[in-house]
Amino acid sequence: MHPETIRVPLASSGLEVEDIDAVVTTLKSNSLTMGQKVREFESSMSRYLGARHFVMMNSGSSANLAIIESLLRPTSGIPRLRRGDGVLVPAIAWPTTIWPIVQLGLKPVFIDVDPESASLDLNAAEELLSQDSHGVRAIFPIHPLGWAMSPTGLEDFCRRHSLVLISDVCEALGSWRENVHAGLSSLASSFSFYFSHHITTMEGGGVATNDDALADDLRSIRSHGWSRDRSDAKSWLSHGNDINSKFLFVSTGYNVRPMELQAALGLGQISRIDNYINTRRQIASRVHEAITNTALHLMGSNTLRNDPQSHSWMLLPIRTKSTVSALKIVEHLESVGIETRPILTGNFTAQPSIRRILGEDLDAKSFINANLISSQCFMVGCHHHFTEGQITHLVESLRYAARNLGDVS
Ligand SMILES: Cc1ncc(COP(=O)(O)O)c(C=O)c1O
């Protein structure tokens, strides 16, 4: 086959026949709304992550929303956050990491990113807080594209600044650093199982936490504020009211419940996740070898030798040398069937939506590394179901582009 006829998409469905069979069986069982399959998937996820609880939801975005809601309006104890508090977030971000903070009356405080991983740069955060606290009470880092931030680094930072640590792990399932799954040293961490991620439930996501009370609140919040799915549901009945126990609402809430079909689809995949991640690491290694010492660099490739477990490669982020036109490389790759995209949204502070909300107070140009990542970097796919033909085409096309295309100096 001529290489130009091979397409290398950013993502594939990743479904096996048995996953589809599991969905059909679930459909035929007539059990459609949240129930036994969701509970089974939650147990599998808890076991895999080493978390006490996993609360499945209908997306990673909903997981982020539910986390923020749970910190503002817990059913017991003092709220960990209050309206107006600042939350540190990375300048390279996904919109729905930021929007729940804005929507629920908190203030995102953007921090530039580390140029190699695109994750929130704790040194830059340290510098900002040394000048002014900005009312910051929490930090919400993203573990981008499979790269696990150091749990001890994050914990130490939060201890010194008395911050609540929550993590967006929507892109880093299967990534472990210092023997802890990415984000799991946080009070709560969000996951996404959207189509393009390490496993897919079509749409889907959830929150991992080791905090029993928080897990109960998340179960209420995902389902209208209902008491039903809480471990302490019975204790709410003794609150001296005569409300029907089946219709007892104990917190604020949304409807962000998952369906049984989604859980049925995820169950098989989570049992195969280690193979998936190994395949992704092998693809990353081959791409890294092909472009080492050229005009292109695989961001995060130092982990391949030093700490392979700490990266699960959702996609492959590639930086072009400053003397090379990223645009020219991207155009070439697209012309030979290799799909590309920016790193997340690029510098999120430059997006019109965030500028409209935070106005001129925010100088997008001041996030120097985020801007470099916007202008000099792009991503290609790294899916565990790529065929050998697709992987070879990806590797060879990148090798060709890295060695032959456009020095603009
Ligand atoms: C870092 C990050 N956070 C949150 C989300 C939202 O997840 P979902 O698409 O499941 O709503 C995504 C989606 O890709 C993401 O990349």
Side-chain angles (χ1 to χ4, degrees), residues 23-167:
V23 170
V24 173
T25 306
T26 304
L27 259 177
K28 286 181 178 164
S29 77
N30 218 17
S31 168
L32 303 179
T33 56
M34 190 173 77
Q36 183 56 26
K37 288 285 170 208
V38 169
R39 282 192 290 277
E40 281 174 37
F41 181 74
E42 291 181 334
S43 300
S44 294
M45 279 297 294
S46 302
R47 262 197 313 279
Y48 177 69
L49 298 172
R52 279 177 66 78
H53 306 277
F54 187 82
V55 183
M56 191 183 186
M57 299 185 190
N58 61 1
S59 73
S61 303
S62 300
N64 284 345
L65 182 65
I67 289 175
I68 302 289
E69 180 73 33
S70 70
L71 301 182
L72 284 163
R73 284 179 274 268
T75 55
S76 61
I78 298 164
R80 288 174 166 102
L81 294 178
R82 292 181 192 280
R83 273 186 90 80
D85 284 346
V87 182
L88 297 174
V89 288
I92 298 274
W94 188 251
T96 48
T97 315
I98 310 302
W99 295 143
I101 295 169
V102 173
Q103 287 156 332
L104 294 177
L106 300 167
K107 188 177 65 174
V109 177
F110 286 95
I111 302 291
D112 205 358
V113 294
D114 165 58
E116 181 61 13
S117 62
S119 62
L120 190 152
D121 179 357
L122 289 179
N123 293 325
E126 193 79 62
E127 204 178 311
L128 182 99
L129 294 186
S130 72
Q131 291 155 13
D132 182 341
S133 80
H134 293 273
V136 167
R137 297 275 311 280
I139 180 170
F140 198 7
I142 294 173
H143 299 246
L145 301 167
W147 167 287
M149 291 181 75
S150 159
T152 48
L154 282 167
E155 279 170 32
D156 177 56
F157 182 83
C158 289
R159 201 173 308 112
R160 279 184 294 105
H161 295 283
S162 305
L163 301 184
V164 177
L165 172 60
I166 50 178
S167 276

Side-chain angles (χ1 to χ4, degrees), residues 11 26 32 40 67 69 76 96 105 116 131 133 143 145 177 197-198 217 252 272 315 323 340 344 346 351 365 367 406:
T26 304
L32 303 179
E40 281 174 37
I67 289 175
E69 180 73 33
S76 61
T96 48
E116 181 61 13
Q131 291 155 13
S133 80
H143 299 246
L145 301 167
R177 183 128 168 216
H197 292 230
H198 299 86
D217 282 358
T252 51
R272 299 189 296 269
L315 290 153
T323 52
T340 65
L344 281 79
Q351 293 282 347
K365 290 198 192 69
F367 301 97

